[in-house]
């Protein structure tokens, strides 16, 4: 089959890891008899440099018109000026919103061979297999009002944590449907003891939970959840939460997997292309050195094949190849080895 994929390599290590992920996709395409047509576009800091905008209308339109979008990473010190009128991160948020990808799936699995790469005690990490579903187009990132002004002679900054019922409902329904194919357990994370938005969140979670009697629902406050991720992560399965809570908890959860470089993500909406990106950032400190771990991006292509292109066997072939590569001891610097980005991808490709 033929598919159109838009590539947004972005900034920092983004282009290095996306190059390797595309090599993996091409091998899968030839093995399974597909053809992938790529359109590469600038997004993030590189797009600010070239076009004066982190996400141009043309790039967004290209993303909306394809089957799936693969993104590397955006941002870097060059664009960190707090007074700048555009930022690389704004482009990413506008892209998520423009694609309507309200659910960000971030699976966190601990490979047995990487247990020693995590600072946590090995016995805590046995059997960890969590799927965090982060609400991605609402909450504190997008609520209105937002901005800065001067009030009563004092400088003021405002962000708003806002949710409509339908925004909570759709991500919660997705959480329950994904939980049905896993351990039939949903952990809904909120701050209902303080936040009104969390009380609506909890109310809707409870209602949807009552429509799924076969799935266990528990509510956990976000502060408790952050502690349990470290003290008893094996106890969690599907975790669904607000945008900012999910951002924070998934960085924390990445420590379980040994390195942020290992973790993929898929951002999905009701229809249209999904957006696939590793959860790590642009890592400016190692950019251009060819040593970044490409696995988060390569596993993101597996999610792309599964969710947007409905190519399950192809997705599994990548995941198995990555598993075997790790089992065989291949390591980039972040997980205690010396392989380059390209060498790691070569190892994965040779096991496909
Ligand atoms: C992430 C990142 C982004 C976010 C940044 C780069 C805007 O941290 O994808 O987790 O906060 O969503
Ligand atoms: Mg983050």
């Amino acid at each position: 089959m033929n598919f159109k994929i838009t590539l947004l390599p972005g900034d920092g290590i983004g282009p290095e890891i996306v190059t390797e992920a595309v090599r993996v996709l091409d091998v899968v395409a030839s093995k399974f008899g597909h053809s992938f047509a790529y359109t590469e576009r600038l997004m993030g800091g590189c797009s600010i440099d070239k076009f004066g905008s982190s996400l141009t209308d043309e790039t967004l339109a290209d993303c909306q018109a394809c089957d799936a979008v693969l993104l590397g990473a955006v941002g870097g010190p060059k664009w960190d000026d707090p007074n700048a009128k555009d930022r690389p991160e704004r482009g990413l948020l506008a892209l998520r919103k423009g694609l309507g990808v309200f659910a960000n799936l971030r699976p966190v699995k601990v490979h047995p061979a990487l247990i020693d790469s995590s600072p946590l005690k090995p016995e805590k990490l046995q059997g960890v297999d969590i799927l965090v579903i982060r609400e991605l187009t609402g909450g504190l990132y997008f609520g209105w009002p937002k901005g800065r002004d001067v009030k009563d002679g004092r400088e003021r900054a405002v962000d708003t944590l806002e949710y409509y019922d339908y925004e909570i409902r759709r991500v919660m329904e997705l959480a329950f449907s994904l939980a049905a194919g896993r351990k039939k357990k949903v952990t809904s994370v909120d701050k209902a003891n303080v936040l009104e938005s969390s009380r609506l969140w909890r109310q809707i979670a409870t209602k949807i939970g009552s429509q799924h009697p076969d799935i266990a629902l528990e509510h956990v406050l976000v502060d408790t959840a952050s502690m349990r991720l470290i003290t008893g992560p094996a106890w969690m399965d599907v975790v669904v939460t607000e945008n900012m809570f999910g951002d924070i908890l998934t960085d924390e959860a990445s420590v379980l997997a040994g390195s942020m470089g290992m973790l993929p993500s898929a951002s999905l909406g009701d229809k249209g292309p999904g957006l696939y990106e590793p959860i790590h950032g642009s890592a400016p400190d190692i950019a251009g050195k060819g040593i970044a771990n490409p696995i988060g991006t390569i596993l993101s292509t597996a999610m792309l094949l599964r969710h947007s292109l409905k190519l399950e066997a192809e997705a599994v072939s990548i995941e198995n190849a990555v598993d075997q590569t790790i089992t065989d001891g291949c390591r980039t610097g972040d997980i205690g080895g010396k392989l380059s980005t390209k060498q790691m991808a070569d190892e994965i490709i040779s096991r496909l």
Side-chain angles (χ1 to χ4, degrees), residues 71 73-75 88-90 92-93 96 104 106 134 136 141 243-244 246-248 250-251 260 265 267 277-282:
L71 171 80
V74 297
E89 293 81 3
R90 189 205 62 86
L92 178 56
L93 300 189
R96 290 171 177 170
N104 181 219
R106 297 187 164 189
R134 167 187 175 193
L136 200 62
Y141 275 50
N243 200 342
M244 175 99 164
D247 179 45
I248 297 170
T250 49
D251 266 31
M260 250 181 127
S265 85
S267 302
E277 49 174 319
I279 82 151
H280 62 71
S282 61

Side-chain angles (χ1 to χ4, degrees), residues 189-191 220-227 241 245 249:
V189 173
D190 63 33
K191 187 72 185 173
V220 179
L221 297 173
V222 63
D223 44 355
T224 309
S226 73
M227 183 184 68
T241 192
F245 296 162
L249 291 178

Side-chain angles (χ1 to χ4, degrees), residues 166-289:
Y166 76 93
E167 296 177 296
I168 302 171
R169 203 173 295 125
R170 63 189 180 184
V171 74
M172 200 58 74
E173 271 162 2
L174 182 69
F176 276 86
S177 74
L178 291 169
R182 295 174 52 103
K183 290 191 198 133
K184 300 196 187 301
K185 177 175 165 185
V186 171
T187 301
S188 173
V189 173
D190 63 33
K191 187 72 185 173
N193 53 348
V194 176
L195 301 175
E196 205 55 54
S197 56
S198 281
R199 288 192 276 272
L200 180 61
W201 181 280
R202 193 174 278 216
Q203 178 190 317
I204 291 171
T206 304
K207 173 116 192 276
I208 294 174
S210 70
Q211 295 157 0
H212 297 269
D214 55 322
I215 294 177
L217 166 67
E218 63 177 349
H219 305 282
V220 179
L221 297 173
V222 63
D223 44 355
T224 309
S226 73
M227 183 184 68
R228 290 218 205 148
L229 258 182
I230 298 298
T231 57
W235 145 101
M236 287 176 158
D237 193 58
V238 171
V239 176
V240 56
T241 192
E242 189 268 339
N243 200 342
M244 175 99 164
F245 296 162
D247 179 45
I248 297 170
L249 291 178
T250 49
D251 266 31
E252 186 190 358
S254 75
V255 175
L256 308 171
S259 163
M260 250 181 127
M262 297 293 299
L263 297 188
S265 85
S267 302
L268 308 174
D270 279 330
K271 52 181 177 356
L275 170 64
Y276 300 85
E277 49 174 319
I279 82 151
H280 62 71
S282 61
D285 52 323
I286 58 164
K289 296 187 179 159

